[in-house]
Amino acid sequence: MYPEIPVTKTANPKAKPVSENSLGFGQLFTDHMFIMDYIEGQGWIEPRIVPYGPIEMEPSAMVLHYGQAIFEGLKAYRGPDGDIMLFRPRLNFERVNKSNERMVIPQVDPDFCVYALKELLQLEKDWVPSAPDTSLYVRPFIIAMDPFLGVRPAHHYRFMIILSPSGAYYPHGLNPVDIFVEDEYVRAVRGGTGFAKTPGNYAASLIGQAKAYKQGFVQVLWLDGVHRKYIEEVGAMNVFFVIDGKLITPELNGSILPGITRRTVLELAQKLGYETQERQISIDELAELYKQGRVSEVFGSGTAAVISPVGKLRYEDMEMVFNNGEIGEISQKMYDIITGVQFGKMPDDYNWMLKI
Ligand SMILES: *Cc1c(COP(=O)(O)O)cnc(C)c1O
């Protein structure tokens, strides 16, 4: 369907990691990467797979000055019989186009991107680790390349996919984390770029993260930028609350990133017969419901952790502890089913997985 992608193989393949149990995250990269360029008037051209390594760009490259860029994150998993599978990859490349639209970057062909990723993974398949709960993290991204200091959308972009073997997110089991409710700094505002996966959102979040760390918390619960009252996300994850047995998550309002794990949790919960709600929820409403003993579980959802239970929330002087600081039943069930399907230990009744 698509023409073959030319491959330049590395002359110096790297040694594979000795221990898959200490891979960590995002530190080690495979032998090859995918690149294509966009030139105004020509479209996306010259898709190619080349050895992983530094790229040349001018110090005046627009991305370095004005941050016109987007990225994605997904994982390739090794199943019990050695098969390599991707989790709902087309959704990531559809989201690329939503991010691109906001950042005035030209659209990509999501099917071609999935094809290119499959080709790259075919070549790099020995880099997909097989120790329990390890995976190959996939990082597609697009950057503005023009050597130009004027402020306007670029005319030349580069799309790349790099791969990084990553360790188990929970080497010691799912442990709930302590979260600081940030009511000074905000991550995103409505009308801004919150729904786009763009690097600037992360740059803007670092200070809140650092502040939380300093006070002994692992992550930040972000509130909305206008009222600093409505709950948006937890760290770089979407957030769910189990209230009166219902799964509630903030509705997508333009400043929340539409997570694929979020969507998966909502779809799965409905299939399992839980009631779900996407709605505005303020920190004060949460505190009130908590006092009434109606909030049984809180968790974050995202590709890296899948499900990240929240043990404790600190909001000003108030401390909310959920499920005695232990992982709740629904959180555990969501984690077990989603990761079970991802690692090929459970049947894929949902058509989530794409075999490469
Ligand atoms: C990527 C991301 C998420 C989670 O999205 P997934 O598709 O589930 O990985 C949530 N919030 C932010 C800010 C993100 O960048």
Side-chain angles (χ1 to χ4, degrees):
M1 165 154 108
Y2 291 108
E4 203 171 305
I5 297 172
V7 176
T8 309
K9 281 199 185 162
T10 178
N12 305 298
K14 296 173 206 166
K16 302 282 185 304
V18 184
S19 164
E20 290 187 346
N21 296 316
S22 53
L23 287 170
F25 175 77
Q27 306 174 53
L28 179 68
F29 300 94
T30 69
D31 285 321
H32 299 90
M33 60 187 180
F34 172 80
I35 303 184
M36 64 180 172
D37 288 296
Y38 179 91
I39 309 280
E40 201 162 84
Q42 295 180 55
W44 289 104
I45 58 164
E46 289 175 22
R48 57 209 186 267
I49 291 171
V50 297
Y52 176 89
I55 57 167
E56 267 198 358
M57 59 202 300
E58 297 206 24
S60 55
M62 290 178 82
V63 65
L64 300 176
H65 302 273
Y66 307 125
Q68 195 193 9
I70 66 94
F71 68 96
E72 269 301 326
L74 65 160
K75 287 173 172 178
Y77 308 84
R78 191 179 289 284
D81 47 10
D83 286 347
I84 294 164
M85 294 166 297
L86 290 160
F87 179 71
R88 313 187 83 176
R90 202 174 188 285
L91 296 181
N92 291 91
F93 294 109
E94 286 169 11
R95 190 167 63 188
V96 162
N97 279 339
K98 301 227 171 73
S99 300
N100 280 1
E101 188 182 14
R102 178 63 181 81
M103 302 307 291
V104 203
I105 296 171
Q107 299 282 292
V108 296
D109 172 357
D111 291 317
F112 178 74
C113 295
V114 172
Y115 164 75
L117 173 55
K118 284 171 76 172
E119 294 288 298
L120 179 63
L121 287 170
Q122 231 8 289
L123 182 67
E124 300 290 72
K125 57 182 185 297
D126 293 346
W127 282 97
V128 182
S130 49
D133 299 329
T134 60
S135 59
L136 185 66
Y137 185 77
V138 177
R139 167 55 58 86
F141 62 104
I142 301 175
I143 52 179
M145 294 290 280
D146 305 24
F148 180 58
L149 295 183
V151 179
R152 59 147 171 81
H155 299 150
H156 173 196
Y157 298 90
R158 181 160 285 184
F159 175 110
M160 306 181 68
I161 304 176
I162 57 174
L163 305 173
S164 176
S166 60
Y169 193 91
Y170 294 112
H172 312 294
L174 268 80
N175 58 321
V177 291
D178 294 351
I179 303 288
F180 181 80
V181 181
E182 177 55 58
D183 56 5
E184 178 187 1
Y185 300 112
V186 298
R187 187 194 80 89
V189 292
R190 223 167 287 183
T193 57
F195 70 91
K197 228 168 160 70
T198 188
N201 292 340
Y202 279 70
S205 76
L206 297 175
I207 192 167
Q209 168 83 58
K211 184 176 154 192
Y213 268 146
K214 225 181 276 171
Q215 299 178 67
F217 295 85
V218 177
Q219 267 303 349
V220 172
L221 187 82
W222 296 106
L223 303 179
D224 79 280
V226 177
H227 311 277
R228 299 194 203 177
K229 182 169 127 181
Y230 297 105
I231 295 168
E232 299 225 311
E233 301 202 45
V234 57
M237 287 185 282
N238 296 113
V239 65
F240 283 84
F241 304 93
V242 180
I243 298 171
D244 298 332
K246 274 187 237 162
L247 254 108
I248 296 174
T249 191
E251 67 191 341
L252 300 177
N253 59 2
S255 53
I256 292 172
L257 197 291
I260 292 162
T261 319
R262 175 188 183 278
R263 173 170 166 173
T264 302
V265 168
L266 285 170
E267 290 170 0
L268 181 59
Q270 284 154 17
K271 285 205 173 103
L272 297 175
Y274 294 106
E275 207 177 308
T276 63
Q277 273 180 359
E278 296 173 70
R279 69 165 173 93
Q280 238 183 12
I281 177 166
S282 72
I283 187 70
D284 300 315
E285 180 187 354
L286 183 77
E288 198 48 48
L289 291 164
Y290 173 80
K291 282 184 209 148
Q292 296 167 7
R294 294 163 64 187
V295 186
S296 52
E297 302 178 38
V298 179
F299 62 88
S301 74
T303 294
V306 183
I307 299 293
S308 175
V310 173
K312 197 198 284 178
L313 269 186
R314 165 75 161 280
Y315 176 51
E316 292 170 348
D317 295 332
M318 183 178 180
E319 201 164 86
M320 300 177 232
V321 177
F322 305 102
N323 198 41
N324 297 316
E326 284 158 32
I327 182 166
E329 188 189 315
I330 296 177
S331 314
Q332 184 77 57
K333 193 187 273 183
M334 292 291 155
Y335 180 82
D336 290 345
I337 296 176
I338 297 171
T339 58
V341 174
Q342 287 173 334
F343 286 97
K345 292 179 194 150
M346 285 174 70
D348 179 14
D349 297 333
Y350 318 93
N351 248 318
W352 288 336
M353 306 308 290
L354 179 73
K355 220 176 255 190
I356 70 137

